[in-house]
Amino acid sequence: MAVTDHVDLNGFMEGVKKRNPHQPEFVQAVQEVAEDIFEFIEDKEEYHSAQILRRIAEPDRVVSFRVCWEDDNGNIRVQRGWRVQNNNAIGPYKGGIRFHPSVTESVLKFLAFEQTFKNALTGLPMGGGKGGSNFNPKGKSVREIMRFCQSFMTELYRHIGADVDVPAGDIGVGGREIGYMFGQYKRITNHFTGVLTGKGLEWGGSLIRTEATGYGAVYFLENMLATKGDTLEGKTAVISGSGNVATHAAEKIVQLGGKVLTLSDSGGFIHDPDGIDQEKIDWVKTHKTHRRGRIEEYVDAFPGATFHAGKTPWGVPCDVALPCATQNELLGEDAKTLVANGCRAVSEGANMPTDLDGVHTFKHHKILYAPGKASNAGGVAVSGLEMSQNSARRSWSEEELQQMLKDIMAGIHQRCLTYGDQGGGYIDYVKGANIAGFKKVADAMLAFGVV
Ligand code: NDP
C-alpha cells in the first residue's frame, strides 16, 4: 500500500474518538502524541503499515473489577477498580495506582498511554500501565483505608507480578497504602517479590523514591535553563499541588537557590511572598501527609501568606512554573497569563496538567516547556531502580541513587533534543519526547511482528 493511502491525522483521531466515546482525557492524550507522530512517520512506511500508533493507542487489556469493603459503621461500600495494561513491548507493565473520586476508565487509559512513552524515555526496560479506583480516601479512618487497600489487592493480585506488571503510588496512594497492598499481596501469594514499588525502606523500598518525581522535575528544569546559559539561582517559582510531587519539587527549587511562592490543593492556593522555605515545606509535608489537613491552614501557621479559595496559582508572576497537582489544571488562558507575566520555563510534575490550548500557547511563544512524560519521569525511573535492587536483592546508597536520577533526567533531556531541536535556539520538548518515546516502543513492536 502506498504511503498516500494511509489515514491522515484527522482520520486517525476520528477513529480514536469513535472507538472511545465518553473518554475525553484519553482522546486528548492520544491527540497530543499523534500530532507529532504523524509528522514523524510521514515518510516511514514500516510504522504506517504495521499500524504502530493505532496499536499503542489500544491498551493490551483493561481489567475492571468490583471492590467491596466495610466502613467503620458496618455499611457495605462498593467501588470500581481498574488496571490498564497499555503496552509491554519493552518491559513489564509499570505505572502507579490512583485513588480519587475523579478516577474513570478514561483517566486511567490516558495515564497508561502517557506512561508507555514516559517509561521508554527513561532508557529503562519498563512498559506502560496504570490503575486505580474511584475510592475517595479523604475523611476515611486508617482502618477503612486498610480494609479498602486489602480488598483492592484481593482482586488485583492475579493480574500483576514482578515480571508482569509492577504498580506504584500516585494521587491518593502513598507509602501507607503501598504497605497495606503489599501486605495483602504477600498474604495471598506467599511471595516476597518486587511486585510493587514505593515500598518502605525496611521491606524492599529504595532510597529517594519518595523524592524522585519532584526532584527529577526540577533537574529537568535545570537542564532546560542550561540550554539558555541560565540557572535556578534567584528565580521565582509558582507550584500547584501540595502532595508528594509538589513538596519535593519545592524542596529542590529551594536547595538550588530559587524562591517558591505558591502551593495549592483542591480547595485553592496559598501565596507566600516571603518564599516557602524548607521549614515551611516540612510543615506542609507533615500537615498534608500526617495530619491530612488542608493547604488553607498554612496562612494561620505563616502570617503574611494569603489563601485564594477555588483558584489556581497561575496568575502570580513568576520566572518558572511547575504544575504538580492533576490533569487539566492549567488551561489556555492560564498559559497566556503565565507568558504575559514573563514566565520563562514550565516543567510539569503532574501528568497532562496543561490542556491542548495551553500546550499550543507555550509552543507558539517558544518558551521552555517540558511535558510531564519527560519531566516527571524521575519517579518511575527510581521505581525502575527499585525493581533492579529487588531482583538483585541489594540496595544502593543515597549518593549512588541521587547521581543515577540526575543522569537519567539528563539522558531524557538529551533524547528530547534529538527529535525536538527545531533550530534557532528553540527546542520543542513535546515533539522530542513524543518521538523518542514512540520510536523505542515502535521498534520493539516491529521486531515482534503482528502480536
Ligand atoms: P498526592 O496525592 O500526593 O498529591 C496530589 C495533590 O494534587 C494534592 O495537593 C491534591 O489536593 C491535588 N489535587 C488532586 N486532585 C486535584 C484536583 N482535581 N484539583 C486540584 N488539586 C488536586 O499525589 P502526587 O503528588 O503523587 O501526584 C500529583 C501529580 O503527579 C499527579 O498528576 C500524578 O499522576 C503525577 N505523578 C506522580 C508521581 C509520583 O511518583 N507520585 C510520578 C509521576 C507523576 P487535595 O489534597 O485537595 O486532594
Side-chain angles (χ1 to χ4, degrees):
M1 195 193 285
V3 172
T4 45
D5 289 335
H6 296 305
V7 63
D8 63 5
L9 173 61
N10 288 335
F12 175 79
M13 285 312 305
E14 277 316 305
V16 171
K17 284 179 197 154
K18 214 157 135 196
R19 286 188 298 278
N20 301 281
H22 318 300
Q23 300 201 341
E25 295 88 358
F26 178 63
V27 171
Q28 180 185 339
V30 176
Q31 167 98 34
E32 192 212 277
V33 168
E35 283 177 6
D36 291 321
I37 300 306
F38 265 81
E39 198 187 311
F40 175 66
I41 65 176
E42 199 178 355
D43 57 352
K44 297 178 181 65
E45 174 59 17
E46 66 276 24
Y47 296 134
H48 271 293
S49 51
Q51 300 267 358
I52 297 290
L53 188 58
R54 167 91 163 77
R55 284 156 66 187
I56 300 177
E58 197 67 52
D60 289 354
R61 64 193 63 78
V62 179
V63 184
S64 129
F65 46 90
R66 185 190 62 225
V67 187
C68 293
W69 58 286
E70 196 175 344
D71 69 21
D72 287 344
N73 298 320
N75 301 309
I76 305 300
R77 311 282 285 263
V78 183
Q79 242 77 47
R80 284 195 175 166
W82 290 269
R83 187 70 187 166
V84 179
Q85 297 180 331
N86 195 72
N87 186 293
N88 67 352
I90 62 165
Y93 304 106
K94 179 92 198 84
I97 292 177
R98 179 178 291 192
F99 292 163
H100 194 273
S102 65
V103 166
T104 60
E105 193 172 311
S106 169
V107 167
L108 296 177
K109 276 173 66 179
F110 115 64
L111 288 163
F113 178 78
E114 287 267 305
Q115 194 86 41
T116 303
F117 297 85
K118 181 192 310 192
N119 293 2
L121 276 173
T122 65
L124 300 175
M126 300 180 290
K130 200 84 186 187
S133 170
N134 58 355
F135 173 70
N136 185 0
K138 283 205 189 87
K140 303 291 187 300
S141 72
V142 175
R143 301 197 73 77
E144 287 176 327
I145 300 271
M146 181 182 77
R147 285 196 292 274
F148 178 79
C149 288
Q150 290 175 339
S151 192
F152 185 82
M153 183 52 83
T154 301
E155 189 55 44
L156 183 68
Y157 88 95
R158 67 190 88 232
H159 306 294
I160 60 176
D163 295 318
V164 180
D165 183 353
V166 183
D170 192 74
I171 292 177
V173 178
R176 177 181 69 178
E177 292 74 19
I178 293 289
Y180 292 144
M181 286 192 270
F182 188 73
Q184 183 73 351
Y185 181 87
K186 199 165 62 59
R187 176 194 199 182
I188 296 171
T189 63
N190 202 22
H191 287 167
F192 196 112
T193 63
V195 68
L196 296 174
T197 58
K199 300 188 289 298
L201 292 178
E202 304 79 10
W203 38 281
S206 173
L207 286 162
I208 80 157
R209 172 60 189 92
T210 314
E211 297 87 346
T213 308
Y215 281 16
V218 177
Y219 290 145
F220 198 90
L221 183 54
E222 257 196 317
N223 277 287
M224 289 202 293
L225 290 169
T227 65
K228 305 281 177 207
D230 208 350
T231 70
L232 273 166
E233 183 69 44
K235 297 278 183 308
T236 50
V238 159
I239 300 181
S240 65
S242 50
N244 173 284
V245 181
T247 51
H248 291 104
E251 190 164 288
K252 189 48 78 180
I253 295 264
V254 170
Q255 285 171 14
L256 294 174
K259 183 175 179 183
V260 177
L261 298 177
T262 67
L263 288 171
S264 73
D265 66 14
S266 48
F269 80 92
I270 55 107
H271 178 199
D272 187 341
D274 297 331
I276 304 170
D277 60 16
Q278 187 62 53
E279 185 198 334
K280 293 171 178 174
I281 294 168
D282 289 341
W283 182 91
V284 173
K285 281 186 190 171
T286 308
H287 186 63
K288 294 297 285 188
T289 313
H290 300 297
R291 292 195 290 274
R292 308 266 160 193
R294 310 301 306 156
I295 199 68
E296 66 176 299
E297 282 139 11
Y298 180 99
V299 299
D300 301 326
F302 304 104
T306 48
F307 176 65
H308 305 263
K311 298 239 162 47
T312 51
W314 315 122
V316 176
C318 61
D319 297 314
V320 299
L322 293 101
C324 297
T326 192
Q327 65 271 7
N328 291 329
E329 53 161 326
L330 197 165
L331 310 178
E333 283 306 311
D334 302 318
K336 283 188 194 137
T337 306
L338 280 167
V339 173
N341 284 341
C343 177
R344 277 173 257 177
V346 176
S347 179
E348 294 184 342
N351 285 309
M352 207 170 74
T354 309
D355 75 351
L356 273 173
D357 265 4
V359 174
H360 291 150
T361 301
F362 290 143
K363 282 189 172 200
H364 176 71
H365 289 277
K366 298 190 171 173
I367 71 159
L368 296 168
Y369 164 60
K373 64 171 79 70
S375 47
N376 73 29
V380 74
V382 175
S383 272
L385 301 178
E386 183 173 331
M387 288 165 71
S388 301
Q389 293 171 88
N390 291 165
S391 301
R393 290 184 161 59
R394 58 162 301 186
S395 313
W396 287 313
S397 71
E398 183 167 347
E399 294 71 37
E400 287 173 299
L401 287 158
Q402 288 280 12
Q403 194 54 49
M404 285 188 236
L405 173 60
K406 268 192 192 164
D407 291 346
I408 288 170
M409 296 315 295
I412 296 171
H413 184 264
Q414 194 52 45
R415 278 172 213 116
C416 290
L417 294 190
T418 305
Y419 295 103
D421 193 341
Q422 305 294 288
Y426 174 54
I427 298 151
D428 183 339
Y429 285 95
V430 179
K431 182 190 258 186
N434 284 340
I435 297 177
F438 171 82
K439 190 165 182 319
K440 179 160 183 186
V441 175
D443 289 344
M445 290 172 73
L446 285 179
F448 300 146
V450 183
V451 290

